[in-house]
Amino acid sequence: MNDVSENSIVDQIEEASRNSHFVIVDLEGTASLMVASAIGMSDLVLIPLQGSSMDARGGVKTIRLINNQARMARRSIPHSVILTRTSAALQSRALQNIRKQLQGNGIDVLNTGLVERAPYRDLLDFGGILAGMDPAQVSNVDKAIENAREFAGEVVTKLKEVTDRL
């Protein structure tokens, strides 16, 4: 939906939730009324972070916003960090340190990160979905699909945990 605004986001999320089991709202990471409204309506907020201190600081601001929205709504708003653009080969010390610091501060971090893979980048150029990408044009499509399935499975498990608590 390209016509989403601060004034329409709540209505559009409600409309989408009438027609779908899952509604995914992907917004920029800066604090705004639109982001705060989406957070306030969420069953689960995912905070994407790359393995850097600068990204972690931005993630802390987002977590503060989530906590403030939760206080205003007088309900818990579950949230987890998803580590993005990770290496398929190994976890850097910086990434290990970020994960350890986040978890040490009681912040849930998904086990499955999104690995830096060409198919994720190439979706913008070729369009479509991962499963529709031509392996002759884009390398490691199968590995990107496997990574995406693991990520989706973990998110669905988190959502089930959330709804079981309600």
Side-chain angles (χ1 to χ4, degrees):
M1 295 180 204
N2 292 332
D3 56 345
V4 177
S5 69
E6 290 180 354
N7 294 324
S8 69
I9 192 162
V10 170
D11 293 334
Q12 291 196 24
I13 292 171
E14 283 182 340
E15 177 65 26
S17 68
R18 284 192 284 273
N19 300 317
S20 301
H21 291 289
F22 299 101
V23 177
I24 298 171
V25 181
D26 183 7
L27 297 171
E28 62 185 39
T30 58
S32 69
L33 180 57
M34 187 161 44
V35 171
S37 296
I39 287 170
M41 296 186 74
S42 294
D43 294 319
L44 175 65
V45 177
L46 297 177
I47 307 153
L49 294 182
Q50 295 181 41
S52 72
S53 296
M54 186 172 70
D55 252 33
R57 283 192 290 274
V60 168
K61 288 181 183 178
T62 302
I63 291 167
R64 280 193 201 116
L65 178 59
I66 293 166
N67 290 337
N68 286 340
Q69 288 302 107
R71 286 175 44 212
M72 288 172 43
R74 291 181 167 74
R75 72 175 183 93
S76 173
I77 300 176
H79 53 281
S80 297
V81 165
I82 166 93
L83 297 171
T84 63
R85 301 183 75 184
T86 62
S87 169
L90 58 103
Q91 258 193 24
S92 70
R93 287 188 186 149
L95 185 64
Q96 290 173 10
N97 186 39
I98 296 293
R99 180 184 288 276
K100 187 176 178 181
Q101 285 182 24
L102 291 167
Q103 291 173 328
N105 284 303
I107 297 168
D108 184 60
V109 180
L110 295 182
N111 293 320
T112 307
L114 288 179
V115 177
E116 176 74 22
R117 297 213 181 269
Y120 294 137
R121 288 188 310 270
D122 292 347
L123 277 173
L124 295 174
D125 293 331
F126 295 109
I129 61 173
L130 287 174
M133 297 184 101
D134 182 357
Q137 288 185 309
V138 182
S139 63
N140 290 319
V141 172
D142 56 336
K143 291 181 180 177
I145 290 170
E146 181 182 337
N147 181 221
R149 282 187 179 139
E150 288 174 8
F151 165 67
E154 189 171 356
V155 171
V156 169
T157 299
K158 290 266 181 212
L159 284 167
K160 285 180 182 176
E161 290 171 4
V162 167
T163 56
D164 286 348
R165 283 186 247 148
L166 296 177

